[in-house]
Amino acid sequence: MRAAESSDGDHQWDPSAADSLDLDWAPAMLARVCEITGVDDSHLAALRQATDGGVVLDVGFLNAHPHAIGFFGPTPTGLESKEVERVSDLLGDIDFRAAPAALPSDDHVAGMLIGHGAEGLTRGPETHLRVHFDALREFYEGASKRGLVIVSWWD
């Protein structure tokens, strides 16, 4: 189905921009902000599942010319459409805008509390991470509405 949308006609790769999301190494920071703001365990687990995935997938077919990829992180994982729907619903319940009240007002101090490199974010951790959280929530909402599965990996 993706061959017509692919820039080179490869049906095994090159998803449209609407079907991919790059979180710029923000997942650990997002989870930490949720921990700091007191997000409950079930919602925190959904956030982690949204960024870490579910079952391990065999995506070795992607490691072929012309799209050979190298995996630098954990093995790629996936979530079935029912899990995507559940995760989407739980992400929708998280009030990420509550973060400023729970974080120090000084961006560097807030970044040090969050860790994972947040102290070096040029726009400040709250703004940077809110943009990424909103993108993640919208991505899952769209995938849920379309009944899609999600494949996650770090490259």
Side-chain angles (χ1 to χ4, degrees):
M1 289 175 24
R2 294 287 171 219
E5 296 176 27
S6 174
S7 61
D8 60 2
D10 184 347
H11 68 281
Q12 297 180 9
W13 189 241
D14 206 12
S16 66
D19 289 341
S20 61
L21 176 66
D22 185 346
L23 292 176
D24 296 326
W25 299 94
M29 292 182 250
L30 293 172
R32 180 67 180 130
V33 168
C34 286
E35 289 170 354
I36 293 167
T37 59
V39 170
D40 66 69
D41 290 343
S42 64
H43 288 84
L44 187 57
L47 173 63
R48 287 194 172 114
Q49 194 172 27
T51 58
D52 295 341
V55 297
V56 173
L57 301 174
D58 178 10
V59 292
F61 68 90
L62 292 175
N63 199 17
H65 181 75
H67 299 293
I69 59 175
F71 300 109
F72 301 106
T75 304
T77 58
L79 293 176
E80 295 290 337
S81 59
K82 287 290 184 195
E83 285 296 297
V84 170
E85 182 179 349
R86 184 187 64 76
V87 167
S88 176
D89 290 344
L90 289 168
L91 288 177
D93 293 340
I94 297 174
D95 181 11
F96 204 80
R97 298 200 184 276
L103 293 173
S105 59
D106 180 279
D107 284 345
H108 184 73
V109 174
M112 294 294 290
L113 178 63
I114 295 167
H116 306 284
E119 66 278 2
L121 296 173
T122 57
R123 293 186 296 175
E126 192 273 328
T127 300
H128 179 85
L129 295 174
R130 187 182 67 242
V131 167
H132 284 79
F133 182 81
D134 289 346
L136 179 66
R137 183 181 3 222
E138 290 168 16
F139 183 77
Y140 267 83
E141 183 180 330
S144 175
K145 286 179 180 175
R146 294 169 52 205
L148 299 177
V149 300
I150 300 243
V151 176
S152 301
W153 75 86
W154 295 74
D155 63 355

